[in-house]
Amino acid sequence: MSAGVAARPRSAARPAWLEALRHRPLLLAVTGLVALAFALVAGLALGNVSIPIGDTVAIIGHNLLGWPAEVTWAASAETIVLELRLPRVITAMAVGAALSLAGATFQGLLRNPLADPYVLGTASGAALGAAIALLVPVQFALLGFGLLHVLAFTGALLAVAVVYRVSRLGGLNSLTSVLLTGYAIGSLLAAGLAMTMYLSGSNLRQIFFYLLGSFSLASWPQVVVGLPIIAIGSVVILSRARILNGLLLGEETAAHLGIDVRRERLLLLGAATLITAAAVALSGLIGFVGLVIPHLVRLVVGPNARSLLPLSVIYGAAFMAVADLIARIPGELPVGIVTAIIGAPFFLYLLRTNRAGYQL
Amino acid sequence: MNTRTIGIASALLALVLLGCQAPPAATPTMAPTQTSQAPTEAPTVAPTSSPTASPTDEPTASPTTEPTASSTVEPTASPQAQFPRTVVDDEGTSVTIESEPQSIVSLTPANTETLFALGAGDRLTGGTDFDDYPPEAAAAPDVVVQVEVLTEQIVDIDPDLILAGGNNFTPPAEIQRLRDLGFPVVVTYPETVDEVLADIELVGAAVGADEEAATIVAAMEERIAQVTDAVADLPQPRVFYEIGYLPDIYGPADDSFTADMVSLAGGEPITTGDPVSFVIPLERLVDEDPEIIVLGDAAYGVCPDSVAERPGWDEMTAVANDAIVPVDDIIVTRPAPRLGEGLAALALAIHPDADLAPPTAGTSYCEVPATP
Amino acid sequence: MLEVRSLSVSYGARQALDAVDLAVQPAEMVGLLGPNGAGKSTLLRVVSGTLRAASGAVLIDGVPLDEYERPALARLMAVVPGQTLVPFAMRVEELVALGRLPHEHPLLGPRVADRAAIDVAIERVGIGHLRGRDVRELSLGERQLAVVAMAVAQGARLLLLDEPTVHLDLHHQVAVMELLRDLAVRDGVTVLAVMHDVSLASHFFPRLVLLADGRVVADGTPRDVLTPERVREIYRIDPALVAVAQG
């Protein structure tokens, strides 16, 4: 770059409404929560079996809120709403929130807009763990989690731990090495996965559907174990919004701004990996959400983590709940396909609207 | 298993060991049906055998890693008055069925076929989208679409009994969830011909059609005996049962069900050399040199004339002698009541001149119009 | 304000700094000069806490560097790097706001006082007309001013700069230099800057420290430090090429 480069042309004016929203994160949060509530109700009311909305509301009210009511609905309806749909919607929201938050965190930690929750090999580690679980002839069920979930979770965590060690995140300015190591380890694990799939014979189908991601097996025991993990990890990250802001200009600058970079990096990395691993254990590999939701939010409110993180959580949860709803109505599409189909065009639209004001 | 079950099982075991007689000698690969002749109990019937219980059981030499409990069978004394009863499914799980099921959901096409054969087809309230036999089976609402189990649908139907497929055919997590929701789920997973027969009896027991099951099994045994007798003295050619051709050549794995069928049909099965993988390299196939190729993929349009054109295949004896025969894969491999006819079809494919009545079931493929 | 005692740093076998001594008074404006590899940036990095010295000490306000808590140090000392990479779209005021990180509430963020400090910093640096603009779309000179504004918002009494005028056009080079002088004179900020442009440095810095091969070669006014002999010896160029300010 030569000295004295002239100023680049002014950005095209952002639409007024977008500009107004930028300064109203609270309004966006409230809107998001409303969307979330809507997604919850819709998720409970709609499904493969049609249940009158009045019944749905009554079932929820009677069982969860203690409304006195005459039982006028079928027992099967109650089972469907409370045992099948409710845990499913909650799981979808938790996973959506976790992936979005983890994506925002990794993008901030690695200062790379293309980072998603799986960038450090989480996906490959989880997939390999799941595939091994399906190969191993051990029946195991603990609190609604089978061997599949446990190994997927473990695989995800181990993959990142290996990447961390191998790339020796001791020194600063080693982000490139982290990303490359993540890529390399991820590829290695993917090869292991391919080998496992080859050896799996009839279980191939199971592995395949796990890889596409699904909420169809969500259950209360899983929610009880998975939700606290995601909640704890999320709280750790959300309380560190300040740190992520400091990291925006680089780790040296962050250090000069008074941040203990080494410790915070480990904490954020650990928490983001934890919630990603939990999300993957709960629902398989669902892509796109962790990459795009943070970007969408950032497009509107800017990079300030104090707005970005909570809004990513809220909108990630709402988006995933809606995506799952759409996935299951026509008869169980893999939800990963739905997230891509809905998300991509909308994202492109927003990029166009904001044309010169945002470069990935 | 609860304590009561174990107690009664032990009592029955003792009686069985005392009172059981050896059945008539069977062919090397066939075991007699595992019917334990226990004396009639009080109306509450209890489960019996674990794999080691009855001395008439032939240990099943299958490569499966899951415990293959042979299914329990109830005494045939008084029909239709035997509920509540507990059966032990192929995964060794005890399933208690409170009363004779009037609403039955089947998660495998094989079980659907069995249900209809048992005369319980009218009680089928949910099936799979692959249910194709008998034709009326397709009319039942689909609760399995492709591989997805529609749990909401099943809950809505609220069946008295669910029949599922083992070895991941029905996702184990799904089976567990249905059981957690309070439904009795019986899992079938037969790995040999004997086990297919045992499963028909299991399903019969579960739905209260023991007599019908016994009849079907007896007929199947007779047909199977016919086949094995007809090929007993014939030379055993090397047979390759082709399951698929693209992208790799698929054939029976070592000790698999299909290999078992080929043996029974009087052939020497060419296998993949691996107990898990169904892929056979072309080199191995050429090396094994099949004398007969049976096209299990005929239903997908693979016919004998296309085989000869495959590069590298013309070295095989079977191709040189044009000994390539299409069969209806479904009746040969589906663990359902038509299996006897399937075995006959397979035997005739291997030994066209065998003294055997042609199969009365199954579809013909690759029909060559008769030359005038 | 700042004291460097007998500082030595080596990169492997190479001695980057060899027993360097330096004392800077409050509100002084000091420029660090020297050819490539002289150790200027290394010195700055040790003072800013990025690099550890093999031996020697750095004291700020009489207290050794490593006895400071990080946030406390951040309130005391600010660093302006040569260039700043911004990965995401970020507005000028958001960048300046980062300077309040050591001051703001951990969870609630910038408070009234913090927002006031941000506004003051923006006005002080004279980039009020750039509010609302994406930092990445500014010219390099404008961006550097924004980073200086961030350091100003930090409220630091010691400002360290590493080659702050590289890549800038002449107008902004002068603008930055004038700003630094203003900060030292009006606000009593102590400025220590590594400068690559000798002429510019000689015009604006009342005191220059010349380094070569890890040692302090000269320390004083520009006229005393940048004698023709020294320029020829250290930089190995014709001294007439360097316009040293007189007086």
Side-chain angles (χ1 to χ4, degrees), chain B residues 33-36 45-49 67-76 82-83 85-97 99-101 104 108 110-111 114-115 118 120 123 161-166 179 184-191 193-218 220 335-337:
Chain B
T33 54
Q34 286 117 9
T35 315
S36 311
V45 180
T48 51
S49 40
T68 39
S70 56
S71 49
T72 14
V73 176
E74 313 311 317
T76 52
Q82 304 298 333
F83 285 92
R85 55 166 63 160
T86 305
V87 299
V88 177
D89 72 3
D90 286 354
E91 288 180 342
T93 313
S94 285
V95 183
T96 303
I97 304 160
S99 57
E100 186 179 271
I104 305 170
T108 75
N111 283 326
T114 305
L115 269 180
L118 290 171
R123 295 189 259 162
L161 173 68
I162 300 176
L163 302 170
R179 284 182 174 148
V185 181
V186 171
V187 179
T188 58
Y189 179 52
E191 287 182 292
V193 175
D194 329 343
E195 291 179 16
V196 174
L197 300 178
D199 275 349
I200 292 173
E201 291 180 321
L202 170 64
V203 174
V207 304
D210 314 68
E211 275 194 357
E212 295 83 337
T215 310
I216 293 173
V217 166
M220 287 175 76

Side-chain angles (χ1 to χ4, degrees), chain A residues 10-61:
Chain A
R10 273 191 168 252
S11 51
R14 272 164 72 102
W17 61 272
L18 211 53
E19 188 59 37
L21 280 179
R22 190 189 185 100
H23 303 289
R24 290 178 173 74
L26 218 55
L27 174 65
L28 284 168
V30 169
T31 313
L33 287 172
V34 168
L36 207 57
F38 167 76
L40 177 67
V41 173
L44 292 175
L46 300 172
N48 283 318
V49 172
S50 57
I51 297 176
I53 178 107
D55 279 359
T56 309
V57 175
I59 291 172
I60 296 290

Side-chain angles (χ1 to χ4, degrees), chain A:
Chain A
M1 282 194 250
S2 58
V5 171
R8 292 185 209 148
R10 273 191 168 252
S11 51
R14 272 164 72 102
W17 61 272
L18 211 53
E19 188 59 37
L21 280 179
R22 190 189 185 100
H23 303 289
R24 290 178 173 74
L26 218 55
L27 174 65
L28 284 168
V30 169
T31 313
L33 287 172
V34 168
L36 207 57
F38 167 76
L40 177 67
V41 173
L44 292 175
L46 300 172
N48 283 318
V49 172
S50 57
I51 297 176
I53 178 107
D55 279 359
T56 309
V57 175
I59 291 172
I60 296 290
H62 181 59
N63 284 285
L64 298 181
L65 303 174
W67 295 351
E70 264 184 61
V71 178
T72 55
W73 53 84
S76 63
E78 189 164 310
T79 306
I80 292 176
V81 172
L82 295 178
E83 298 296 326
L84 295 182
R85 290 184 190 168
L86 189 55
R88 181 169 181 148
V89 173
I90 291 178
T91 303
M93 289 180 177
V95 168
L99 291 177
S100 303
L101 188 60
T105 308
F106 278 116
Q107 284 168 8
L109 263 180
L110 300 173
R111 289 199 314 289
N112 186 328
L114 291 179
D116 71 356
Y118 307 128
V119 71
L120 293 182
T122 332
S124 307
L128 183 58
I132 292 176
L134 287 170
L135 246 186
V136 168
V138 172
Q139 300 284 66
F140 170 87
L142 180 69
L143 300 171
F145 286 102
L147 194 62
L148 177 72
H149 301 102
V150 172
L151 284 190
F153 184 76
T154 316
L157 292 177
L158 276 178
V160 176
V162 168
V163 170
Y164 190 84
R165 288 299 291 170
V166 172
S167 69
R168 286 189 294 121
L169 277 185
L172 301 174
N173 299 325
S174 60
L175 287 175
T176 311
S177 83
V178 173
L179 283 170
L180 286 175
T181 309
Y183 178 75
I185 299 288
S187 302
L188 195 64
L189 293 171
L193 173 67
M195 174 62 98
T196 313
M197 287 171 78
Y198 179 73
L199 293 175
S200 69
S202 69
N203 296 335
L204 186 64
R205 196 163 45 183
Q206 293 285 304
I207 298 176
F208 185 66
F209 275 90
Y210 172 77
L211 291 179
L212 288 178
S214 162
F215 293 109
S216 62
L217 291 170
S219 65
W220 279 117
Q222 291 183 1
V223 169
V224 164
V225 175
L227 199 56
I229 295 178
I230 290 178
I232 291 172
S234 300
V235 165
V236 169
I237 296 174
L238 287 167
S239 67
R240 285 179 153 66
R242 186 177 143 263
I243 310 293
L244 275 170
N245 280 346
L247 285 168
L248 276 169
L249 297 182
E251 293 184 341
E252 277 203 34
T253 307
H256 295 142
L257 289 171
I259 293 173
D260 184 348
V261 174
R262 228 193 183 116
R263 189 184 71 141
E264 296 300 333
R265 193 167 49 189
L266 194 57
L267 262 170
L268 285 169
L269 188 68
T273 305
L274 186 71
I275 62 178
T276 305
V280 168
L282 281 174
S283 68
L285 297 175
I286 299 175
F288 198 79
V289 175
L291 178 67
V292 169
I293 296 289
H295 275 305
L296 284 176
V297 175
R298 205 182 285 112
L299 259 177
V300 179
V301 297
N304 184 356
R306 285 205 177 81
S307 309
L308 177 65
L309 297 184
L311 287 176
S312 294
V313 166
I314 295 173
Y315 281 95
F319 177 73
M320 192 66 95
V322 170
D324 180 52
L325 191 63
I326 294 176
R328 86 177 123 102
I329 296 307
E332 294 295 348
L333 293 173
V335 70
I337 293 176
V338 175
T339 55
I341 291 178
I342 308 177
F346 183 64
F347 187 49
L348 287 171
Y349 163 73
L350 219 59
L351 279 182
R352 270 178 43 111
T353 315
N354 203 32
R355 204 189 307 258
Y358 189 82
Q359 304 155 31
L360 270 180

Side-chain angles (χ1 to χ4, degrees), chain A residues 4 8 19 22 256 306 356, chain C residues 91 94 104 106 136-137 169:
Chain A
R8 292 185 209 148
E19 188 59 37
R22 190 189 185 100
H256 295 142
R306 285 205 177 81
Chain C
R91 299 199 171 171
E94 287 169 344
E104 65 187 21
R136 299 185 303 179
E137 291 176 2
D169 64 356

Side-chain angles (χ1 to χ4, degrees), chain C residues 94-164:
Chain C
E94 287 169 344
L95 188 142
V96 177
L98 290 179
R100 296 307 290 175
L101 227 70
H103 300 271
E104 65 187 21
H105 188 279
L107 289 177
L108 298 176
R111 289 162 285 201
V112 176
D114 297 308
R115 294 194 200 285
I118 295 167
D119 291 334
V120 164
I122 291 177
E123 292 313 312
R124 190 81 178 75
V125 173
I127 51 173
H129 62 289
L130 295 176
R131 269 183 197 268
R133 296 274 304 277
D134 184 348
V135 168
R136 299 185 303 179
E137 291 176 2
L138 301 177
S139 73
L140 287 162
E142 290 171 324
R143 191 191 299 192
Q144 193 71 313
L145 284 174
V147 178
V148 175
M150 180 180 104
V152 170
Q154 224 172 311
R157 284 187 293 116
L158 173 62
L159 193 57
L160 304 175
L161 303 102
D162 194 349
E163 300 197 355

